[in-house]
Amino acid sequence: MTATAADIQGNPKKRRAILDAATTVFLREGFSRASVDAIAADAKVSKQTVYNHFGDKNTLFMAVTDAVQDMVVADIMELMDSGFPDPSRLTGPGDLRAALLDLTRAWIRAVYTGPLVDLRKLVDSEAEHHPELRERWFRNGPGRTYPRLNRLLTELARAGLLDVPQDVLAEPDLLAHQLTAPTGTDVRRIRPDMDFEAEFEKRVARGVDFFLRAYEPRS
Amino acid sequence: MTATAADIQGNPKKRRAILDAATTVFLREGFSRASVDAIAADAKVSKQTVYNHFGDKNTLFMAVTDAVQDMVVADIMELMDSGFPDPSRLTGPGDLRAALLDLTRAWIRAVYTGPLVDLRKLVDSEAEHHPELRERWFRNGPGRTYPRLNRLLTELARAGLLDVPQDVLAEPDLLAHQLTAPTGTDVRRIRPDMDFEAEFEKRVARGVDFFLRAYEPRS
DNA sequence: AAAAGATTAGACTCATGAGTCCAGATAGAC
DNA sequence: GTCTATCTGGACTCATGAGTCTAATCTTTT
């Protein structure tokens, strides 16, 4: 639940080891199947130490989601804060598309591939029984990144680089989702027998083109 | 796993009762938490009878997903087979939009609200340990409905009512997903404190308009 | 080097749940 | 009315796992 004294005492290296092990095991087994014993073993730490650091399995799980989200969110924010060119520089014909392509590629890779996707599934399936989980996940992840992406896209619209209807602009996060959702769905549909990198690239391009087709100013 | 003799013997009424109870309990508790005892109790049947009919918990679960999917798929197919006007009749200015709106509304309601969504989460979270589950789910659901929707949309393109690039048309199911994914994501983001029906309607309209903005022929 | 805090292995409690077994009840077929 | 398949309830086995407890050991601080 809330942070208690139990969360801040003890050897930080062990704490880190437990967190890493927990991430591994939760991702491999799912929440219910993952046993605290297995986590302790994987962290090369006694079970009691796990309980000293995190109190119980739920708290440990939330610590894991927080940690993973924090890493991904930091990446994404950095990307948007300094990895995207100023609108005034996007003057050439393909400039906007290229910049959006870079942005979307990195975003989708961070959010729709890697541990975050699987962790989200776990949160989702546990959320029925611990509603605070879903709320926490949202607040700590999408609740921070989507508004930022939406702001970035809105600025492009304000700069005249995108032609977006007023009611779409008025809806929080909508524009960001319209860029992100079709691409994400498309990427998740890549089958294991396909060449992932090639498909990934193709689908990101498709998603961006779909978005641009809807909102690129018509000359 | 595969169907055995155990699946076809016994009293059909009891079988039905077990299936209904299992649906209820799995949806309420999730796969691991749901106990066969609880299901038997809910079905007013002895535990042994459950095992007589379905062999084990896994088989029972798959029977549940099959049954729920079959209902939804039947609805959706009917919708597309006879609920959508012939392209030749869509001559008036708002006709296409209205027809797409009806179709999308019904589709999204069937697939993104109701028991199917929650069941899909369960399948998803169990699929790590039973890969055949995911495959079965796909084959029995999206594998049937998406091609059909895609065909319908492709026919609209062929009839000149949509202007879709060749490479999008060439990709299986892509067009269907481009209509469905942004709308679905948007609808799933309706928060419990909102007026569901009003939001639902608004978001479906938004999704369709986004789609049309990309692919409506430009005069 | 002694006190205070943290860690360890492993035993222990308690609860839960899948799947089995069985002896008696019941119901449908003929 | 009897025969056969099915159903019942409840006891039983077996495994798993969360969380606690303890006595001994390690580490850090002072």
Side-chain angles (χ1 to χ4, degrees), chain B residues 11 23 32 36 47 49 55 88 135 142 187-188 190-191 194 214:
Chain B
N11 179 341
T23 306
S32 329
V36 177
K47 177 155 71 151
T49 302
S88 62
E135 215 272 311
V187 164
R188 253 184 300 185
I190 300 176
R191 308 241 148 244
M194 301 173 172

Side-chain angles (χ1 to χ4, degrees), chain B residues 55-84:
Chain B
D56 64 16
K57 201 181 168 184
N58 281 285
T59 308
L60 176 56
F61 182 66
M62 294 195 299
V64 166
T65 62
D66 282 2
V68 173
Q69 281 191 306
D70 284 349
M71 291 206 86
V72 175
V73 167
D75 277 5
I76 290 185
M77 294 307 238
E78 217 268 308
L79 192 76
M80 289 184 294
D81 286 340
S82 50
F84 197 86

Side-chain angles (χ1 to χ4, degrees), chain A residues 22-50:
Chain A
T23 306
T24 306
V25 176
F26 278 133
L27 282 176
R28 193 180 54 217
E29 308 286 343
F31 179 79
S32 329
R33 288 180 155 90
S35 75
V36 177
D37 292 271
I39 292 169
D42 193 288
K44 296 192 200 339
V45 136
S46 89
K47 177 156 70 154
Q48 186 58 54
T49 303
V50 175

Side-chain angles (χ1 to χ4, degrees), chain A residues 29 33 121 124 126 129 134 138 163 171 173-174 177 181 185 189 191 206 210 213-215 218, chain B residues 29 33 121 124 126 129 138 163 171 173-174 177 181 185 189 191 206 210 213-215 218:
Chain A
E29 308 286 343
R33 288 180 155 90
K121 282 181 202 164
D124 233 47
E126 284 311 303
H129 301 272
R134 176 177 282 127
F138 178 80
D163 177 21
E171 192 72 18
D173 298 356
L174 177 57
H177 272 95
T185 321
R189 286 168 39 81
R191 306 243 147 241
R206 243 188 234 155
F210 182 52
R213 215 178 150 90
Y215 293 143
R218 305 172 186 187
Chain B
E29 308 285 343
R33 287 179 155 89
K121 283 182 200 163
D124 232 47
E126 284 310 303
H129 301 275
F138 177 80
D163 178 19
E171 192 70 20
D173 298 356
L174 177 57
H177 273 95
T185 321
R189 286 166 41 80
R191 308 241 148 244
R206 244 188 232 156
F210 183 52
R213 216 177 148 92
Y215 293 143
R218 303 169 189 191

Side-chain angles (χ1 to χ4, degrees), chain B residues 122-143:
Chain B
L122 294 189
V123 171
D124 232 47
S125 67
E126 284 310 303
E128 233 66 55
H129 301 275
H130 306 277
E132 79 276 10
L133 258 186
R134 177 176 282 126
E135 215 272 311
R136 187 195 186 95
W137 176 273
F138 177 80
R139 197 166 5 102
N140 200 41

